[in-house]
Amino acid sequence: DAKYYAANAAWFPLSHGAVLLFAVGLAGLVLTLILWIPMKRRAARRSFNDRSADPFAKLPFGVAIAAGGLASFAWFLAGG
């Protein structure tokens, strides 16, 4: 994910880095909240011994990087 973020950040000027970081973080928060509800429901149905140690280890953060990059690019084109 770090390489993907670095490749995404290479398309923006250095002064736009904070906006990109904020947009990716916000997209990650939204993605986590969207995926958290179904994970909790599935975890509640499983038995105590069947639960995995870290259900968020499978969180696809590349989707959040892409969404944040697109939002940041739209902001950049709008003159922000």
Side-chain angles (χ1 to χ4, degrees), residues 40-54:
K40 284 296 186 182
R41 287 184 181 166
R42 276 186 259 137
R45 284 186 254 149
R46 290 188 210 141
S47 68
F48 182 74
N49 294 330
D50 191 30
R51 295 183 184 187
S52 63
D54 188 13

Side-chain angles (χ1 to χ4, degrees), residues 1 3-4 13-14 20 29-30 32 38-39 44-45 52 60 65 67 69 71 74 77-78:
D1 289 337
K3 291 177 189 176
Y4 184 53
L14 190 58
L20 178 64
L29 175 67
V30 170
T32 301
M39 282 183 189
R45 284 186 254 149
S52 63
I65 294 172
L77 288 179

Side-chain angles (χ1 to χ4, degrees), residues 58-69:
K58 299 175 185 173
L59 189 67
F61 201 67
V63 175
I65 294 172

